[in-house]
């Protein structure tokens, strides 16, 4: 009887120990899986946030460049050969902003294509490749008027596209 009791206690303790080990291993494995899934989700979320930030920054840079260019064209389209009425310093400042904006817009058209929508890239490429008046052989105010209208139109289209792309309609 004593040997049956020892065998029974030994069996129960072995089964209990195996059950405890199984329970601990199962919990450890579940926690590892949860941590792995959470880590993967966090990486994807961070990547998505980064992508959205880059997209917003690209649109912001393009829109600011278009505003600066439009400002320059607006001032010059209304002078009709009489001068802008601005000081030389202010005209230099406008010209520098225009040159910087033009360069920035060209870069954004190329580099931004990685971050902005295809429609937005199409708008910018159409603006870049359009036929322009000859600056040296046409009246300057006509040249500036055409540039003003084309850039203003592109800005309006781009703003609409940015709202859609950034889902802020």
């Amino acid at each position: 009887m004593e040997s049956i009791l020892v065998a029974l206690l030994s069996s129960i303790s072995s089964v209990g120990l195996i059950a405890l080990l199984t329970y601990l291993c199962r919990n450890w494995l579940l926690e590892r899986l949860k941590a792995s899934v959470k880590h993967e989700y966090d990486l994807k979320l961070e990547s998505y946030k980064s992508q959205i930030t880059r997209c917003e920054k690209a649109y912001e840079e393009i829109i600011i460049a278009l505003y600066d260019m439009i400002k320059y064209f607006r001032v010059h389209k209304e002078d009709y050969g009489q001068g802008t009425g601005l000081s030389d310093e202010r005209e230099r400042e406008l010209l520098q902003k225009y040159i910087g904006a033009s360069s920035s817009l060209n870069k954004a058209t190329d580099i931004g294509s990685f971050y902005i929508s295809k429609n937005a890239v199409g708008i910018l490429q159409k603006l870049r490749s359009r036929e322009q008046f000859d600056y040296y052989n046409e009246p300057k105010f006509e040249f500036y008027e055409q540039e003003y209208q084309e850039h203003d139109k592109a800005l309006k289209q781009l703003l609409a596209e940015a709202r859609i792309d950034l889902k802020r309609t």
Side-chain angles (χ1 to χ4, degrees), residues 77-94:
K77 80 180 180 84
E78 296 171 356
D79 75 4
Y80 300 103
Q82 304 298 315
T84 61
L86 300 174
S87 67
D88 288 341
E89 183 180 321
R90 180 69 178 130
E91 281 202 38
R92 270 193 306 278
E93 181 184 319
L94 271 176

Side-chain angles (χ1 to χ4, degrees), residues 1 42 82 100 130 138:
M1 176 87 174
D42 288 346
Q82 304 298 315
R130 76 193 183 290
E138 296 288 336

Side-chain angles (χ1 to χ4, degrees), residues 51 54-55 57-59 61-62 104-125 128 158 165:
Q51 190 177 20
R54 283 190 220 131
C55 184
K57 187 170 171 57
Y59 276 117
E61 186 176 326
I62 292 165
S104 179
L105 190 61
N106 283 331
K107 282 191 286 185
T109 300
D110 297 331
I111 297 170
S113 65
F114 295 111
Y115 305 112
I116 61 178
S117 74
K118 289 181 182 178
N119 290 340
V121 172
I123 292 166
L124 294 172
Q125 287 175 341
R128 181 194 280 180
L158 195 71
D165 196 18

Side-chain angles (χ1 to χ4, degrees), residues 28-89:
W28 176 80
L29 190 60
L30 284 174
E31 290 302 317
R32 290 280 304 211
L33 283 172
K34 285 179 187 176
S36 177
V37 168
K38 183 181 180 328
H39 177 71
E40 192 69 29
Y41 175 77
D42 288 346
L43 286 177
K44 286 183 180 184
L45 182 62
E46 191 61 38
S47 173
Y48 179 73
K49 284 180 181 178
S50 174
Q51 190 177 20
I52 293 295
T53 302
R54 283 190 220 131
C55 184
E56 287 174 342
K57 187 170 171 57
Y59 276 117
E60 179 182 2
E61 186 176 326
I62 292 165
I63 290 167
I64 288 171
L66 283 170
Y67 272 119
D68 287 344
M69 293 177 80
I70 288 169
K71 187 186 317 180
Y72 178 79
F73 295 136
R74 183 183 306 120
V75 167
H76 285 84
K77 80 180 180 84
E78 296 171 356
D79 75 4
Y80 300 103
Q82 304 298 315
T84 61
L86 300 174
S87 67
D88 288 341
E89 183 180 321

